[in-house]
Amino acid sequence: MTQQAGDWLAERLLMGPILGDGAMGTQLFERRVLGQELCLDELSLSAPELVRSVHLDYIAAGSEIVETNTFGANRMRLAAYGLRDRVRQINEAAVNIAREARRLTGQRVWVGGAVGPMGRPLSPPGPITPEQARDVFREQIRSLADAGADLLVFETFGDLREVTEAVLAAREVCELPVVAQMSFAEDGRTVSGDTPAEVVEALGALGAMVVGANCGVGSEGVLRVVQEMASAARVPLSAQPNAGFPMYQGSRVLYHSSPEYMARHARQMVEAGVAIVGGCCGTTPEHIAALRDALKSRGTAEARPAQTSGKRRGRPAQPRTPAPERTGLARKAGEKFIVTVEVSPPRGFEVSPTLDSLSDLNGSGLVDAFNVADTPRAQGRMSALAMSSLIQSRLGTEAILHLALRHRNLVALHSDLLGTHALGVRNLLVIMGDPPSTGDYPGATAISDITASGMIKLIKEFNRGNDATGKPIEGVASFFVGCAFNPGAADSEREARVLERKLAAGADFILTQPVYTPDVIERARQRLGGFPVPVLLGMLPLRSVRHAEFLHNEVPGIEIPGEVMTRLREAGPGAPDVGIQLCRELLEEAGSGVAGIYVVPPFGRYDVVLEVLRGVPQELKDRGVQEVSAVDLR
């Protein structure tokens, strides 16, 4: 195309609606038996004839714009397949295939460089900064532009912030016209909670030539979205719905919207002001041919101009129910010295042995809460939520549910929070969790949808009656949420920065990794200028030199000082007594500066907790720690 970038598209838009193409990914799966784990973008290198056949069929069906097979061809998505360094090669190959298909047909067709989201969320709640996102998009967009794409098609974005970075990246590296599309849910909002009017205003202001909706829902849902967009649009609109909602039949994913159904809705979309219409997941060349015939039946009259902007529609106000009562742990924090004890759920179905082993400790009245570990060391164990609920119902003592983020995606975490609150478990500790590769299922996939600080922020939104996107939920939560901190981390500056982000997100309390010398916690206190929330000091009584060496060398986050190793070694058979004494010394010297302790019983020895608390300093007795008698140690 020799005409100046954008001029041809502007002129063509004045002539009437433009027909785009349909699905690329589902067509590739349909035409060849492909594993779900396959990188579809890489097929532009290994199976160019397959990709070309899809383009040729869409052009034959009447498509004027065909999108390249590059939806996931950015470095973050490609990294999952070991293809991080082949971004330029894959994008260039895909553009060349589409251009070759155009040459073979001799049709006037424009090549749209397809750009999808990175596959990892922006911060917050995710780990990717806006600057990193823009750099990722710059790399892919530059490759598409250099290879000869005629325009850029951004599609299936759920976060307005992310597509904003993509549009800004495009403006930095090329002058190609931009079609910016977002995906909307059934409630008519994006995943990030934006309305159609907000999306069209924001992306139009950034310089996108066309703004629209694709994927997410079928024709009816997209029709409602573009009708709302039209009320605020100052730019042409686009619409590429799915062919209905996907269903599984055996190993196949099927979409059930008929070509006639999609064509009927396409006519309504054009009447609403849509200038580019096509399809997304499940849409076939047969669907596109039906859309072509439907547009022809309208004649070649000019598409209705977009309407002028009206008032932005705000989110509807939702009634708020009163916040539930604070947890017992939240009420005690700052009023008494808190004692919590870690419990690992059983590896089988029977929970009674674990509960029985806690009975003496629970009956002592010393423990304020039990910390329930979530798949510690990535082992297959009973659900931490189930165990927390059982502890609360059968023992009558509050639980602190550990919530491991590596083991759940955002959808599962959202559901778990709702279920957790409904079961009455309100104390949470947000942790990343151990990598699955270290546990019982080394082939399991680690999830990185959200950071710890992002999760804390999400939980705090639940406490305000909103989900992660700011949309109202039914009711208001009362979670008391804690975060983990390793005061002895090798990179103390980084650990402090991470803790500051967690505190800024709203963490209510801190649980530390096991500490063995008081100077470690004091240095951390000075680095942070004091602890702004209650701190529970981690304690793991050592049983032997071998135990200490294992923790030091094989358990992430635990550092055993050399002088502690020496004392254990010199004690010989008396090493367990030394481990108890180390904890008592720590209580004596550091107890006055913390809100409580978090004891990790070694090897399930819950009686050790009582030994640690025997003879506690008078100051801690004054703060509510009861005296442990010989009877308690039976």
Side-chain angles (χ1 to χ4, degrees):
M1 298 290 172
T2 58
Q3 197 170 3
Q4 184 174 351
D7 288 351
W8 61 269
L9 181 57
E11 292 179 5
R12 175 61 187 83
L13 288 168
L14 293 175
M15 298 170 60
I18 301 174
L19 182 61
D21 61 2
M24 172 61 75
T26 49
Q27 281 295 291
L28 292 174
F29 278 114
E30 188 72 24
R31 296 172 187 225
R32 181 176 295 182
V33 178
L34 302 171
Q36 291 291 333
E37 73 284 354
L38 183 72
C39 177
L40 296 181
D41 307 281
E42 191 278 334
L43 292 175
S44 296
L45 298 177
S46 61
E49 71 291 342
L50 177 63
V51 178
R52 186 184 301 112
S53 70
V54 179
H55 290 317
L56 289 171
D57 285 353
Y58 281 129
I59 294 173
S63 297
E64 293 182 70
I65 297 174
V66 293
E67 296 183 38
T68 55
N69 178 38
T70 54
F71 172 80
N74 63 69
R75 83 170 77 120
M76 288 196 175
R77 285 185 179 270
L78 293 177
Y81 304 96
L83 301 171
R84 178 187 178 92
D85 297 328
R86 304 187 76 179
V87 172
R88 173 167 286 273
Q89 186 180 5
I90 289 173
N91 282 276
E92 286 182 347
V95 173
N96 289 336
I97 291 170
R99 287 165 60 91
E100 174 66 9
R102 176 176 64 190
R103 186 191 66 78
L104 290 173
T105 62
Q107 301 294 315
R108 185 174 177 81
V109 175
W110 291 282
V111 173
V115 178
M118 296 176 295
R120 300 183 69 187
L122 285 181
S123 173
I128 308 303
T129 66
E131 293 77 15
Q132 291 172 322
R134 194 180 304 184
D135 187 56
V136 168
F137 290 124
R138 272 195 296 258
E139 180 182 26
Q140 183 183 7
I141 291 167
R142 184 180 289 112
S143 300
L144 291 167
D146 290 349
D150 301 308
L151 71 155
L152 298 170
V153 182
F154 299 150
E155 56 184 11
T156 322
F157 282 82
D159 188 335
L160 184 56
R161 298 173 304 156
E162 185 178 6
V163 73
T164 292
E165 295 303 325
V167 174
L168 292 174
R171 296 283 67 88
E172 291 178 10
V173 300
C174 69
E175 297 182 353
L176 295 180
V178 168
V179 177
Q181 302 178 133
M182 294 197 71
S183 179
F184 292 80
E186 292 182 359
D187 63 357
R189 298 176 186 271
T190 65
V191 171
S192 57
D194 301 290
T195 67
E198 290 168 344
V199 167
V200 75
E201 288 179 10
L203 297 179
L206 288 173
M209 182 172 285
V210 180
V211 177
N214 83 293
C215 204
V217 290
S219 296
E220 180 64 29
V222 169
L223 174 60
R224 292 195 300 267
V225 167
V226 295
Q227 286 172 334
E228 187 173 340
M229 280 185 170
S231 67
R234 297 180 183 275
V235 296
L237 303 177
S238 64
Q240 292 185 290
N242 288 342
F245 194 77
M247 297 180 64
Y248 285 91
Q249 183 172 313
S251 61
R252 298 179 62 199
V253 179
L254 302 179
Y255 293 80
H256 289 285
S257 289
S258 68
E260 294 75 22
Y261 177 84
M262 291 193 71
R264 185 166 65 250
H265 280 76
R267 282 195 297 268
Q268 294 176 270
M269 291 172 189
V270 170
E271 290 168 1
V274 169
I276 298 177
V277 63
C280 200
C281 299
T283 311
T284 67
E286 289 73 25
H287 288 90
I288 296 301
L291 267 63
R292 173 199 64 202
D293 295 341
L295 297 184
K296 283 184 177 179
S297 69
R298 293 184 68 258
T300 57
E302 179 180 333
R304 190 175 77 182
Q307 300 176 30
T308 56
S309 177
K311 291 184 179 180
R312 176 174 294 188
R313 303 182 186 181
R315 295 185 175 94
Q318 296 289 325
R320 288 288 189 267
T321 57
E325 186 179 358
R326 292 193 306 157
T327 70
L329 189 66
R331 293 194 301 271
K332 292 176 182 178
E335 297 181 1
K336 71 177 293 288
F337 192 84
I338 295 170
V339 177
T340 72
V341 177
E342 180 169 294
V343 177
S344 292
R347 294 187 68 114
F349 298 105
E350 285 296 326
V351 70
S352 296
T354 302
L355 294 177
D356 290 343
S357 66
L358 297 176
S359 59
D360 285 348
L361 183 57
N362 189 60
S364 70
L366 294 169
V367 178
D368 297 288
F370 287 105
N371 284 274
V372 182
D374 188 4
T375 55
R377 304 194 68 200
Q379 295 171 336
R381 291 180 178 269
M382 181 178 289
S383 157
L385 173 55
M387 189 68 192
S388 297
S389 180
L390 289 166
I391 285 174
Q392 292 192 165
S393 63
R394 297 194 186 181
L395 299 183
T397 300
E398 284 191 346
I400 302 175
L401 170 65
H402 293 198
L403 200 59
L405 306 183
R406 278 196 178 96
H407 307 153
R408 300 169 180 84
N409 64 19
L410 268 173
V411 176
L413 288 168
H414 181 110
S415 298
D416 283 348
L417 286 179
L418 294 175
T420 297
H421 203 272
L423 289 170
V425 179
R426 309 290 169 82
N427 302 307
L428 302 175
L429 176 69
V430 175
I431 58 174
M432 287 309 298
D434 296 313
S437 59
T438 65
D440 292 342
Y441 299 96
T445 303
I447 307 296
S448 299
D449 277 357
I450 193 168
T451 62
S453 57
M455 189 62 195
I456 292 168
K457 183 176 181 181
L458 187 155
I459 292 169
K460 287 298 185 177
E461 282 298 316
F462 269 60
N463 284 357
R464 298 182 184 96
N466 303 312
D467 67 10
T469 69
K471 291 185 289 188
I473 55 178
E474 297 176 2
V476 178
S478 62
F479 288 119
F480 188 57
V481 55
C483 65
F485 173 55
N486 183 6
D491 190 345
S492 59
E493 290 298 315
R494 179 184 181 279
E495 186 73 10
R497 289 195 302 270
V498 171
L499 177 62
E500 287 169 352
R501 288 199 294 271
K502 295 174 183 176
L503 293 171
D508 297 308
F509 65 96
I510 298 169
L511 263 63
T512 78
Q513 287 276 26
V515 174
Y516 292 94
T517 56
D519 59 302
V520 171
I521 197 73
E522 183 57 34
R523 285 197 302 269
R525 187 199 317 277
Q526 293 177 6
R527 165 65 180 79
L528 294 167
F531 295 114
V533 297
V535 174
L536 304 186
L537 188 64
M539 290 185 172
L540 199 171
L542 300 170
R543 305 299 289 174
S544 65
V545 172
R546 183 177 179 180
H547 181 209
E549 288 178 338
F550 169 78
L551 294 172
H552 182 79
N553 291 283
E554 299 194 38
V555 179
I558 297 183
E559 302 285 336
I560 311 296
E563 60 267 30
V564 171
M565 291 284 195
T566 299
R567 286 183 63 177
L568 291 169
R569 191 172 291 110
E570 291 176 347
D577 294 332
V578 170
I580 298 296
Q581 185 59 34
L582 286 167
C583 291
R584 291 177 181 164
E585 292 172 5
L586 191 60
L587 268 177
E588 181 77 37
E589 298 185 49
S592 61
V594 295
I597 57 174
Y598 159 46
V599 186
V600 182
F603 312 111
R605 291 282 306 276
Y606 295 105
D607 58 303
V608 170
V609 179
L610 296 174
E611 293 182 34
V612 168
L613 294 175
R614 182 157 53 91
V616 295
Q618 183 62 45
E619 181 182 353
L620 299 189
K621 295 179 186 177
D622 296 339
R623 292 171 61 190
V625 179
Q626 299 179 32
E627 181 70 48
V628 178
S629 66
V631 175
D632 293 317
L633 293 173
R634 64 188 180 280

